[in-house]
Amino acid sequence: MRRVEHIMGFPISLLIEDEEATAEAAEPAFAWLREVDARFSPFRADSEVSRLDRGELAPHELSPDLTEVLALCEEYRVATDGAFDVRLPGRGLDPCAMVKGWAVQRAAELLTGLGAKRLCLNAGGDVAATGGPWRVGVRHPERADRLCVVLSVTDGAVATSARYERGDHILDGRTGRPATGLLSLTVVAPSLTEADATATAAFAMGTEGIEWAASREGCEVFAVDAEQRVFRTPGLPVAA
């Protein structure tokens, strides 16, 4: 069963390879992702995030989901000494760097909870998978028609932060300027919540983020710095 929708500003594709899977099996996951977009988008004036940013909601009035997301954001802000920050000076509250991986991971868990055994959920190039092995290609940061490496993922997630799709869009919260020390950084982790947030946070840190990400429990890293040097951790699950 295959399905693709454009949600949160990027395509989200789902592949379930269970023989009994039907088109209806995907609806709870996509309904959840549409709900997240409506509630957490900083680009929607009526979203919970926008209302909080305007001061219309007190902390005790927040939903448990947003409370959880903001707690994760604070955890990564502290862990990176401020490089990962969803409240940059001169900008509104924007937790998208955390929401994407968190929401897609929750969608994958929703599907497995409903009985899906072998699935791959791809959100703009970031992948949550179960029942593998699945082969996940990591794009070359300077050549769109080439791969740097192909990974093998059975039950876990892969996320990449890079400059090739959206330019210098990741800011170092410590300086407020674009992070330019890396071309791309990929993280393999047990969940997409951790893989995506760690990749974004490490990219914001620049070259020092490679070692920081590699030190995170359960994380394996593949990175290319601005001088085209390649780094990878010994446990990176490279496909045969």
Side-chain angles (χ1 to χ4, degrees):
M1 191 282 300
R2 296 175 182 269
R3 180 165 168 177
V4 181
E5 286 194 25
H6 199 273
I7 306 172
M8 295 190 285
F10 45 83
I12 299 178
S13 63
L14 170 65
L15 172 60
I16 301 179
E17 290 197 339
D18 300 352
E19 291 183 1
E20 66 275 16
T22 64
E24 291 74 20
E27 182 53 33
F30 282 97
W32 158 251
L33 292 168
R34 290 191 295 268
E35 177 188 341
V36 168
D37 190 29
R39 291 169 53 198
F40 292 169
S41 173
F43 309 107
R44 294 174 181 254
D46 61 344
S47 73
E48 188 177 1
V49 164
S50 294
R51 293 174 62 208
L52 172 63
D53 195 40
R54 292 194 299 267
E56 296 172 6
L57 293 175
H60 70 274
E61 297 177 301
L62 302 184
S63 68
D65 287 337
L66 184 53
T67 299
E68 179 183 347
V69 166
L70 294 177
L72 287 168
C73 291
E74 179 62 11
E75 176 186 327
Y76 277 82
R77 187 194 67 81
V78 172
T80 60
D81 293 325
F84 179 96
D85 198 338
V86 298
R87 294 180 181 273
L88 294 172
R91 293 171 175 252
L93 172 64
D94 183 357
C96 290
M98 181 63 67
V99 168
K100 177 185 175 183
W102 172 84
V104 174
Q105 178 63 36
R106 183 80 70 86
E109 293 171 356
L110 178 60
L111 291 168
T112 57
L114 292 172
K117 298 178 179 62
R118 178 173 166 82
L119 68 87
C120 181
L121 190 53
N122 185 326
D126 296 336
V127 173
T130 190
W134 296 91
R135 293 169 65 87
V136 181
V138 176
R139 209 203 90 164
H140 191 290
E142 295 184 317
R143 299 191 60 174
D145 61 340
R146 296 287 183 90
L147 298 177
C148 282
V149 66
V150 177
L151 305 173
S152 178
V153 179
T154 298
D155 295 293
V158 180
T160 297
S161 287
R163 299 159 64 185
Y164 51 73
E165 289 289 350
R166 298 169 57 194
D168 294 330
H169 68 289
I170 298 177
L171 304 182
D172 182 343
R174 300 168 297 188
T175 65
R177 296 191 296 269
T180 57
L182 300 172
L183 295 181
S184 71
L185 186 142
T186 298
V187 174
V188 182
S191 78
L192 192 55
T193 305
E194 184 169 13
D196 194 22
T198 299
T200 303
F203 196 95
M205 296 173 73
T207 53
E208 66 180 290
I210 300 172
E211 184 175 352
W212 175 82
S215 72
R216 305 279 294 180
E217 184 176 358
C219 291
E220 301 292 343
V221 179
F222 181 92
V224 182
D225 72 8
E227 298 180 7
Q228 299 183 327
R229 294 177 297 185
V230 175
F231 305 84
R232 75 180 194 184
T233 52
L236 190 74
V238 178

